[in-house]
Amino acid sequence: MSDIFDNSFFQFSGSMDNDAEFIPLITAEEEENMNKQEFPEDLAILPLRNNVLFPGVVIPITVGRDKSIKLIQEANKGNKIIGVVSQKNQEEESPEFADLHTIGTVAQIVRMLKMPDGSSTVIIQGKRRFEIVQPTQTEPYMRANVKMLKEKAFDKNSKEMEVLFKTIKDLALQIIRDSPNIPSEASFAIGNIDSPTFLVNFISSNMNADVSKKQEMLEELDMKKRVMMVMEHLTLEIQMLEMRNEIQSKVRKDMDRQQREYFLHQQMRTIQDELGDNPQEQDVRELAIRAESKKWDERVSKLFYKELDKLQRMNPQGAEYTVQMNYLDLLLDLPWGEYSTDDLDLKRAEKILERDHYGLESVKKRILEYLAVLKLKGNMKSPILCFYGPPGVGKTSLGKSIAEALGRKYIRMSLGGLHDESEIRGHRKTYIGAMPGRVIQNIKKAEISNPVFVLDEIDKLGRSNHGDPSSALLEVLDPEQNNAFYDNYVETEFDLSRVMFIATANNLSTVQGPLRDRMEIIEVNGYTIEEKIEIAKRHLLPKQIEEHGITKKDISIDKKVLEKLIEEYTNESGVRGLDKMVAKIVRNRARQIAMEEEFTAKISQEDLFTVLGAGRGRTKYENNEVAGVVTGLAWTSVGGDILFIESSITKGKGKLTLTGNLGDVMKESAIIALEFLKAHSSWLNLNQEAFDNHNVHIHVPEGATPKDGPSAGITMLTSLASLFTQRRVKKNLAMTGEITLRGDVLPVGGIKEKILAAKRAGIKEIILCDKNRKDIDEIKQDYMKGLTFHFVSHMHEVLDLALTNEKVKNAVEVK
């Protein structure tokens, strides 16, 4: 609907041919007379650009086109009757008949007005609908033969039609009431219409619809359908009005609230200025005072004061203010250029390392070397050490001892399961909830720039779609780069070059090559039985006694009991499981004391069975009564162990069967051993047919345990040689080494653990590759008492040492 022009006219937005619309109200009697009026069948046709004329409705049009001016002038001198038709394309300047709709409205010129700008405005009133039948003239303006259209009759007394007319009148009144642009006086015009037909035409002409929609309504001769079309459009218009009013109401409320808060804050600031207690200024002043004592360089100082100026311009109630405050607090809390003084008393450092850790000689030696260089030079880039070894050997606690020996702060950061690069490098502070990375967080916590920083479980780093944290560590752990470590939150470089980073890992194979290359790998081997006994006596038992509230006189454990405890109740390289067993024994003693039971302070072997149950027993060397059974030495993640290679022979066609949950490498060793024997059968005086006429089965006991590696090569060869020759294997002998098809023996790893396992099992002699001799030299002589070593480089040496000339009992002749 449009604005009221006066008491009897509505004014609408104009088109290119008509600037405004005026619609005088007509009575039902005037409408009836109008419908009975006769009109000529040949009419001059006036095109309208963006409006549709309905019967009974009056509109003003501003005439601008030459053809239209000539048509109006001639019609006004004559009968004042013309035909008005809407254009299909409103942009068309010189429309032809093809550009016009076929149905239009007969119009009568009511008045011509001269406007102040010199143009002419013509007021016309619609009379009847017509249809163009045949064009008769195109120049100087269009004329056509027309046929008057009669509307389809309807029952004016029908209840349904009465409800429909009332509904559209109510909808029109509601639009007038809800629209802020339509004066309330427009409702009087709608209310005074008593003709249903004119009501529909009046609303159709004035409603906010495009020309094509109004043309559809003009062409519809069925009153009921036309009313439904009008009602549909009015309903949509009401919904749009309601939505617009709702949005405007929300915007107005938000603006009102923001303005109110703004004025309140301004008043509060003015009051605080008067009182001299403005919190924002106080925050800025405190930050500036703290900054005066910082030892940062010009780059960091410039960044800080730039961000401080930005804080002064912020609204204290905004979310960005808190983010900026947190950022400035971090810059002030970080220890820029602040270092602790190292304690370079090497004797004291050695005592601390010896006190806290038994064994681990190579590790202690490397730490003392670092301290010695630091003492002589005074300043150096800290190395990146990586302690690598099985669980429970004291890798993490070594870092704490180093920190104490140096007099530095100790920081431990667990990397297990870390899979987000932002945990290392931090988030940009533009993100919600942004924080610095954990490296910077821990440096802030340490309050100095040269702590001992333990990166625990570096081999457990994860990887996800959030990035690769191990790649982010490359910069942290590179002594050539970490003097300018960039954290995304800090947004400037921080010097980490004087931090002593110590990484720990159980398995180096999962550590990225570039990351491993940046670290100095120091292997932390498992402990021997003797070392575990000493650790239990010196560290584990006193610690558990203190933690469980008893005294030293209440419990004591001698070496033999500790040895049995270690061998039969634990299976590990470290001492974590042993610590748990000692804790169980001490807890049992605490219970006995609390319940006032009788006990003997000294723990016996029977007490172990009572408290811990039955142990697993020791793996001992058995005998050499059966051909094809040889003792091998193996390395496991929990230390060394012995294993038995068994082989049997049956009549067949030379098939080789392998069992015992063996890996591919171990299976290949068995195949190489058999093929080597076939190729060199003359060494053992064997016929070639013996291999073709018999099936061989090789088994490694404890089939539930996966086994792999090349170190059982010489053991398998000796087992097969003993099997085919039926000769005894030398008593109390064990061996380890890799073989080749040429018969060479290659060195293997884990020698220390394997030798300790052999000694525990009662082995007297051990065969090793000659190139493993250097590994023997690194082991304390105390651990090798009672052992004889044979170093070999070729397989015939192994067979000469391992096989005796004595046949086994019930020997089977192999042909």
Side-chain angles (χ1 to χ4, degrees):
M1 306 302 285
S2 66
D3 298 342
I4 292 292
F5 182 78
D6 57 28
N7 289 336
S8 59
F9 292 94
F10 283 92
Q11 181 181 2
F12 280 73
S13 61
S15 64
M16 295 183 72
D17 248 9
N18 48 300
D19 291 335
E21 300 178 7
F22 297 89
I23 306 171
L25 305 181
I26 63 173
T27 63
E29 183 181 351
E30 289 172 337
E31 184 182 27
E32 188 178 347
N33 293 333
M34 185 176 66
N35 290 333
K36 292 177 181 179
Q37 188 177 349
E38 295 293 331
F39 298 102
E41 294 183 353
D42 184 67
L43 293 175
I45 304 300
L46 176 68
L48 284 185
R49 287 199 187 192
N50 58 355
N51 206 355
V52 177
L53 180 64
F54 286 83
V57 178
V58 173
I59 62 171
I61 59 172
T62 300
V63 181
R65 293 186 284 209
D66 292 340
K67 286 185 178 183
S68 299
I69 293 172
K70 186 175 283 290
L71 183 151
I72 291 298
Q73 287 175 347
E74 290 190 10
N76 193 45
K77 293 176 183 177
N79 60 5
K80 302 184 183 296
I81 300 298
I82 60 174
V84 178
V85 183
S86 296
Q87 292 179 197
K88 295 178 182 177
N89 182 6
Q90 300 174 20
E91 304 300 325
E92 185 63 48
E93 284 291 335
S94 301
E96 303 293 336
F97 276 102
D99 299 320
L100 304 179
H101 291 285
T102 56
I103 294 178
T105 305
V106 178
Q108 181 179 4
I109 298 173
V110 178
R111 187 184 303 171
M112 282 190 67
L113 301 172
K114 287 289 186 181
M115 305 305 291
D117 60 359
S119 62
S120 298
T121 296
V122 183
I123 299 173
I124 59 176
Q125 182 179 28
K127 297 295 184 180
R128 291 270 297 280
R129 287 175 175 82
F130 70 81
E131 182 178 7
I132 296 176
V133 177
Q134 180 66 40
T136 59
Q137 173 184 311
T138 58
E139 295 296 338
Y141 49 81
M142 291 186 286
R143 294 187 71 89
N145 285 330
V146 299
K147 178 180 70 174
M148 297 299 147
L149 298 177
K150 189 176 182 181
E151 294 188 18
K152 186 177 178 180
F154 66 94
D155 185 2
K156 294 183 179 180
N157 298 320
S158 167
K159 288 290 185 184
E160 182 183 8
M161 293 304 295
E162 183 182 346
V163 170
L164 289 175
F165 289 131
K166 186 176 186 310
T167 301
I168 64 170
K169 179 181 280 192
D170 291 342
L171 291 172
L173 292 172
Q174 184 177 345
I175 290 174
I176 294 171
R177 185 173 61 251
D178 293 344
S179 175
N181 300 322
I182 304 177
S184 58
E185 290 84 354
S187 59
F188 295 116
I190 296 289
N192 289 329
I193 298 175
D194 57 359
S195 168
T197 307
F198 180 65
L199 176 67
V200 175
N201 289 338
F202 181 78
I203 294 174
S204 300
S205 178
N206 286 277
M207 67 185 183
N208 183 22
D210 54 32
V211 174
S212 60
K213 188 71 175 176
K214 291 184 177 182
Q215 184 67 30
E216 285 181 33
M217 296 177 182
L218 179 69
E219 294 176 1
E220 182 57 62
L221 300 178
D222 188 325
M223 178 56 74
K224 182 177 179 180
K225 291 182 180 178
R226 199 187 319 152
V227 172
M228 295 301 292
M229 292 170 67
V230 173
M231 188 183 302
E232 179 183 351
H233 186 81
L234 292 179
T235 303
L236 181 62
E237 182 71 15
I238 285 175
Q239 292 174 351
M240 294 291 289
L241 272 173
E242 289 176 349
M243 191 182 304
R244 184 175 64 185
N245 290 339
E246 183 179 349
I247 292 171
Q248 288 178 344
S249 176
K250 285 183 179 178
V251 171
R252 189 179 299 111
K253 285 180 180 177
D254 289 343
M255 287 297 293
D256 291 345
R257 181 177 57 82
Q258 289 179 7
Q259 289 177 347
R260 181 171 176 272
E261 289 180 356
Y262 173 77
F263 286 124
L264 287 173
H265 288 313
Q266 289 296 109
Q267 290 175 4
M268 192 162 61
R269 178 178 291 182
T270 304
I271 294 169
Q272 288 168 345
D273 287 341
E274 291 293 328
L275 295 173
D277 189 25
N278 188 322
Q280 184 179 11
E281 291 184 1
Q282 190 173 351
D283 289 341
V284 172
R285 190 163 53 251
E286 288 177 358
L287 292 172
I289 292 171
R290 289 172 61 191
E292 292 174 0
S293 61
K294 299 303 290 185
K295 299 177 183 177
W296 48 33
D297 56 24
E298 185 179 349
R299 169 181 54 86
V300 183
S301 178
K302 185 176 179 181
L303 172 67
F304 174 80
Y305 285 108
K306 177 184 174 183
E307 297 296 328
L308 188 63
D309 290 341
K310 192 184 295 183
L311 180 73
Q312 286 181 292
R313 297 192 298 270
M314 286 183 173
N315 180 1
Q317 304 303 318
E320 296 85 359
Y321 186 84
T322 305
V323 173
Q324 191 72 1
M325 275 293 296
N326 291 338
Y327 177 65
L328 292 170
D329 273 333
L330 175 71
L331 289 180
L332 289 168
D333 289 340
L334 285 175
W336 304 91
E338 297 177 19
Y339 305 101
S340 61
T341 304
D342 291 331
D343 187 342
L344 298 177
D345 185 348
L346 268 61
K347 296 289 185 183
R348 172 180 170 277
E350 187 176 19
K351 286 180 182 178
I352 291 173
L353 293 172
E354 290 293 344
R355 181 198 70 195
D356 293 344
H357 293 84
Y358 186 82
L360 307 178
E361 302 302 330
S362 61
V363 181
K364 296 173 184 175
K365 181 181 176 183
R366 176 64 186 88
I367 294 166
L368 291 173
E369 287 173 354
Y370 166 71
L371 297 179
V373 174
L374 189 62
K375 182 176 182 178
L376 295 175
K377 190 179 179 185
N379 185 15
M380 64 177 291
K381 289 183 178 178
S382 294
I384 314 296
L385 305 179
C386 179
F387 296 148
Y388 151 65
V393 294
K395 301 184 297 295
T396 305
S397 60
L398 267 170
K400 191 176 289 186
S401 299
I402 293 171
E404 185 181 349
L406 278 170
R408 292 189 184 184
K409 291 282 186 70
Y410 168 77
I411 297 173
R412 176 184 165 273
M413 173 177 161
S414 177
L415 299 175
L418 200 73
H419 56 79
D420 190 345
E421 182 186 346
S422 299
E423 293 283 348
I424 305 295
R425 285 195 172 278
H427 306 78
R428 295 195 179 278
K429 67 175 185 286
T430 51
Y431 293 114
I432 295 173
M435 292 189 301
R438 291 174 63 182
V439 174
I440 292 295
Q441 287 182 39
N442 282 293
I443 293 292
K444 171 189 167 185
K445 190 188 302 181
E447 299 179 346
I448 58 167
S449 294
N450 63 335
V452 173
F453 200 128
V454 175
L455 297 167
D456 214 8
E457 310 287 358
I458 199 169
D459 57 326
K460 307 296 192 305
L461 276 172
R463 188 173 185 171
S464 72
N465 57 346
H466 296 291
D468 184 4
S470 60
S471 298
L473 277 176
L474 293 177
E475 184 182 2
V476 177
L477 299 184
D478 191 338
E480 300 300 324
Q481 297 181 35
N482 62 11
N483 62 333
F485 172 68
Y486 188 88
D487 186 279
N488 290 327
Y489 185 87
V490 178
E491 294 184 343
T492 189
E493 293 83 7
F494 190 87
D495 185 3
L496 298 177
S497 61
R498 294 179 66 177
V499 177
M500 187 174 185
F501 286 103
I502 297 175
T504 70
N506 299 131
N507 184 6
L508 286 178
S509 63
T510 59
V511 180
Q512 275 192 17
L515 186 58
R516 192 165 59 243
D517 186 56
R518 283 163 165 78
M519 300 185 291
E520 181 181 341
I521 308 297
I522 299 176
E523 186 174 1
V524 183
N525 294 314
Y527 296 110
T528 65
I529 294 288
E530 291 80 3
E531 286 174 335
K532 288 183 179 181
I533 291 172
E534 289 300 321
I535 291 169
K537 287 178 61 180
R538 296 184 184 190
H539 301 286
L540 304 184
L541 185 58
K543 182 186 77 171
Q544 295 298 339
I545 288 173
E546 182 180 352
E547 288 183 358
H548 289 84
I550 63 176
T551 61
K552 290 182 180 180
K553 66 179 184 349
D554 294 324
I555 187 170
S556 66
I557 308 177
D558 63 24
K559 285 189 176 182
K560 286 190 176 181
V561 175
L562 283 173
E563 184 177 356
K564 181 179 177 67
L565 176 65
I566 293 164
E567 289 190 342
E568 298 191 20
Y569 292 91
T570 64
N571 183 24
E572 58 178 350
S573 291
V575 292
R576 196 167 282 147
L578 176 60
D579 190 32
K580 293 176 184 176
M581 293 300 160
V582 172
K584 282 187 178 181
I585 295 170
V586 175
R587 278 199 303 273
N588 182 70
R589 179 52 45 89
R591 180 190 60 80
Q592 290 175 328
I593 294 173
M595 298 182 70
E596 298 180 354
E597 296 178 3
E598 290 186 3
F599 60 86
T600 303
K602 190 174 182 180
I603 299 293
S604 65
Q605 294 189 8
E606 290 74 18
D607 291 331
L608 294 184
F609 178 81
T610 304
V611 177
L612 304 177
R616 59 183 175 87
R618 302 184 185 187
T619 305
K620 285 289 187 182
Y621 170 78
E622 294 179 352
N623 57 57
N624 61 346
E625 299 296 328
V626 181
V629 179
V630 184
T631 306
L633 299 176
W635 180 91
T636 68
S637 60
V638 294
D641 202 356
I642 67 169
L643 54 81
F644 299 101
I645 305 292
E646 304 175 346
S647 58
S648 64
I649 193 169
T650 56
K651 290 288 185 181
K653 297 182 179 180
K655 179 182 176 183
L656 174 63
T657 303
L658 302 169
T659 57
N661 203 351
L662 309 182
D664 291 337
V665 177
M666 205 164 183
K667 290 177 181 178
E668 289 169 0
S669 296
I671 295 170
I672 292 170
L674 183 59
E675 292 301 321
F676 181 82
L677 276 184
K678 288 181 181 180
H680 301 85
S681 56
S682 58
W683 284 7
L684 302 173
N685 297 321
L686 293 173
N687 294 323
Q688 192 66 39
E689 291 78 12
F691 297 100
D692 298 331
N693 298 333
H694 294 85
N695 293 335
V696 177
H697 187 153
I698 298 177
H699 176 67
V700 183
E702 296 187 30
T705 305
K707 310 169 193 72
D708 201 7
S711 61
I714 64 172
T715 315
M716 288 182 168
L717 180 64
T718 305
S719 174
L720 291 174
S722 170
L723 180 68
F724 278 98
T725 61
Q726 294 291 297
R727 290 161 61 183
R728 289 179 184 271
V729 178
K730 196 171 185 181
K731 194 174 182 182
N732 296 321
L733 175 73
M735 60 190 72
T736 183
E738 183 180 355
I739 60 172
T740 69
L741 273 178
R742 294 173 296 166
D744 293 333
V745 179
L746 302 181
V748 292
I751 297 300
K752 178 183 176 182
E753 287 81 1
K754 290 176 179 179
I755 289 173
L756 297 175
K759 188 176 180 183
R760 289 196 299 269
I763 299 295
K764 303 297 183 184
E765 297 182 57
I766 298 175
I767 298 177
L768 297 172
C769 173
D770 187 59
K771 292 181 180 178
N772 281 126
R773 191 188 297 269
K774 64 180 186 303
D775 297 301
I776 299 298
D777 295 339
E778 293 178 356
I779 302 172
K780 280 187 177 182
Q781 293 300 315
D782 295 344
Y783 300 152
M784 297 186 291
K785 286 180 181 178
L787 291 177
T788 303
F789 295 97
H790 302 283
F791 299 102
V792 298
S793 57
H794 200 271
M795 277 309 304
H796 69 81
E797 298 177 63
V798 175
L799 297 180
D800 290 345
L801 286 168
L803 298 181
T804 67
N805 293 323
E806 184 182 355
K807 295 278 186 178
V808 298
K809 291 181 180 179
N810 304 318
V812 179
E813 190 173 357
V814 181
K815 295 182 180 179

